Each structure stands twice: as C-alpha cells, then as structure tokens.
Amino acid sequence: MSGTGEAAARAPAAGLEWLKLLACFGIIAFHQHAPGERLGYAGLPVFTMVTAAMAARSARGRDWSSYQAGRLRRLLLPWLVWSAFYGLVQCALANLAGQPTLSWFHPSMLLMGTYPHLWYLPFAAALALLVGRFGHRGRTTLWLTAGALAIPTCSLAMRAAPPLPIPQWLFVLPAALLGVALGRVPLGELRQAAPLAPFVAAAAVGTGIAWASGADSLALQYAIAVPLTAAAWCVPLRAGAITRRLGATSFGIYVLHPFANMLLALLAVSTGLPFSEWSLLASTCALALLLTLVLRLTPLRAAL
C-alpha cells in the first residue's frame, strides 16, 4: 500500500466526524433552550456511544499502561485545565455581581468540574478505562440486553431527582452499554452493516418499554441517537482534510460553547444587539468553533 493509501486507511470515519459536529450543535441547542432542545439532547447519548465504541476498539491489542495513560491524558488533563479556566470565570462573575468570590462553588463540582457541562470529561475518562478493561468480555447480546433494559431503568431512577451529577450519569449509562456492543461492529463498512440491526433493535425495545411504562425520560433522545449513530458508523467513507479538521474541533466546541455564549451575552448587553433564539444558537456555535481553531494554534491545543 502506498503512503497515501495508508494515510487514508488511518483517517477517521467521515460519518462519525460529521455526527460529532451535529451532536455538538444539538447539545448547545439544549443548553440554550433553543427550539427543538429535546431533540438536540440526543447529541449526548451519541457522544457517549461513540466514546465507548472507540474506546473498545482502541483497547484491542494495546498495552494497558499505554492505553490508560493516553486516555487519562486526553480527557483528565483538559478537565483540569478548563475547570481552572471556568473557575476563574465564575470568580470574576461573582465579583461583578457583588457576591463572595467563591459563592458559586458546590461540593458536587469536585466530581463535575467548575461549570456544569464539564461533568462529561471525568465521566468519559472513567468510561474509557472501564471499557478498555472489561469491554472485550461477555457476549454482544449481553451488552445489548443490558443497554436496552437500562433505558427504562435509568428513566425511572431519574424521577427520584438524585443529586448532581447522578442524573447525567443515568442519562448516558444505556448509551455506554450499547456503545460497547457497537464497538464490535466493523467501522465504515456498509456491506457489513447487518450486525448493526441488533444494536438498533435493542434500543428500540428499550425505548418501547420506556414509553409503555411511562418512564420515558430518555426514550425520545435514544430513539433519535441510536439510528443516527448506526447510520454514521457504517458510512464507507474516510474523512478528507477539511472534514478531519472540522471534526477535530468538536471537543473544543463542546468545552468552549458556554464561554462563547457569555461573550455574546456581554456583547448584547453592551451594544444592544438583538439576538433571536436561532441567531444566538448559530452565533454561539460559530464563535466556539472560531475560538477552538485559534486556540489549537497555541499550547492549549493539548487541552482541546
């Protein structure tokens, strides 16, 4: 194989890169309570399924020490960096509001980080380690069954309103279980898409039970996320240069979008510039993308 052919074979799957960007857009829509926010929240189980599936694939045949170090460096280092950053932002906002500097702090932030959306980074680190260690065990049907049953079970558990960040963990737990099974399906091979049928069917059974039982807190999002992820998984295309560059920004967009929204809010207050729900959503996404692209040219690239 030529060098160009080898590079193409190592390139990420185009379907997953575009799906991650779409998931980012949906999560931002949810956080901003934009129209269709419940649909947009399907982006969170999408991220979780992809995280679990790629962790399962990455761990195969890898030395555990190098795998563990790589995953922790990729997820916990950014969590520490951005927790420090948003902690400073929170302190500044508290001072501007005439409140005690640390009035915003809550003990749950020791698990979540200093801004609510950062909870996903330590969760993803723990998920990657657990999947790397145990994801190769058990039959695929066992993981699919566990994922299907977790949808109504976690929906019921969320009704008890447990303290943060347990509701977030419950929301994505079924996606983590389903993602382990997804990681066993060949990636980017449309002709081998048949193994994805049980994956989609398991989620359909889980969402069906959830709707029938009235425990439907997760049902809509999973009914959207699982078929979308399955479709993206089997797209037989490798990402080109532009797609790779944009796909690589999805993590940064997720991390930076609250800060981008703060900057736009300051702009609106200081200039009187009106934002509609849609224009604010589009502007937040665009500014988070721009900030990510700029910061990736600096030493902060390691945290993005």
Side-chain angles (χ1 to χ4, degrees):
M1 181 182 291
S2 67
T4 301
E6 291 174 354
R10 291 194 302 268
L16 292 186
E17 295 305 293
W18 287 110
L19 180 64
K20 288 190 296 184
L21 289 170
L22 179 62
C24 269
F25 183 83
I27 291 172
I28 295 172
F30 177 79
H31 286 167
Q32 295 189 181
H33 304 293
E37 61 179 290
R38 291 188 66 215
L39 302 179
Y41 203 35
L44 188 54
V46 164
F47 267 135
T48 307
M49 281 185 281
V50 172
T51 296
M54 297 309 290
R57 288 172 58 86
S58 178
R60 291 176 194 157
R62 285 274 301 278
D63 173 71
W64 172 249
S65 296
S66 64
Y67 171 84
Q68 181 182 35
R71 291 289 161 166
L72 291 177
R73 183 169 57 249
R74 178 69 186 99
L75 293 164
L76 287 189
L77 174 61
W79 181 60
L80 294 173
V81 169
W82 295 112
S83 286
F85 172 78
Y86 279 103
L88 293 174
V89 171
Q90 295 267 49
C91 289
L93 292 175
N95 288 333
L96 286 174
Q99 298 175 348
T101 302
L102 294 178
S103 59
W104 51 271
F105 181 78
H106 189 273
S108 64
M109 291 180 177
L110 297 174
L111 290 174
M112 298 175 60
T114 57
Y115 214 76
H117 73 304
L118 294 177
W119 73 270
Y120 186 75
L121 277 65
F123 173 85
L127 173 61
L129 294 183
L130 289 171
V131 170
R133 177 61 80 180
F134 303 109
H136 65 284
R137 300 182 183 179
R139 294 180 178 272
T140 301
T141 52
L142 177 62
W143 290 99
L144 291 175
T145 301
L149 295 178
I151 294 175
T153 302
C154 290
S155 291
L156 283 171
M158 288 174 65
R159 287 184 172 181
L164 298 175
I166 295 176
Q168 287 90 335
W169 295 347
L170 290 171
F171 190 85
V172 295
L173 176 59
L177 297 169
L178 293 170
V180 174
L182 178 64
R184 299 180 179 186
V185 178
L187 173 62
E189 297 185 22
L190 186 59
R191 65 183 181 277
Q192 296 189 34
L196 288 169
F199 169 72
V200 176
V205 169
T207 54
I209 294 173
W211 262 312
S213 63
D216 57 356
S217 301
L218 288 70
L220 176 63
Q221 289 78 21
Y222 277 79
I224 296 169
V226 172
L228 272 180
T229 306
W233 191 264
C234 66
V235 171
L237 296 173
R238 290 294 171 178
I242 294 177
T243 297
R244 288 199 302 271
R245 188 173 185 188
L246 286 175
T249 65
S250 59
F251 184 83
I253 292 172
Y254 176 82
V255 167
L256 287 166
H257 78 268
F259 182 62
N261 189 250
M262 292 178 201
L263 294 178
L264 292 170
L266 289 173
L267 177 65
V269 169
S270 60
T271 65
L273 183 67
F275 280 104
S276 67
E277 291 177 322
W278 284 111
S279 65
L280 180 60
L281 176 59
S283 298
T284 300
C285 292
L287 183 54
L289 171 60
L290 178 61
L291 290 171
T292 300
L293 290 172
V294 171
L295 290 176
R296 284 177 66 84
L297 300 176
T298 73
L300 278 175
R301 176 187 179 91
L304 291 170

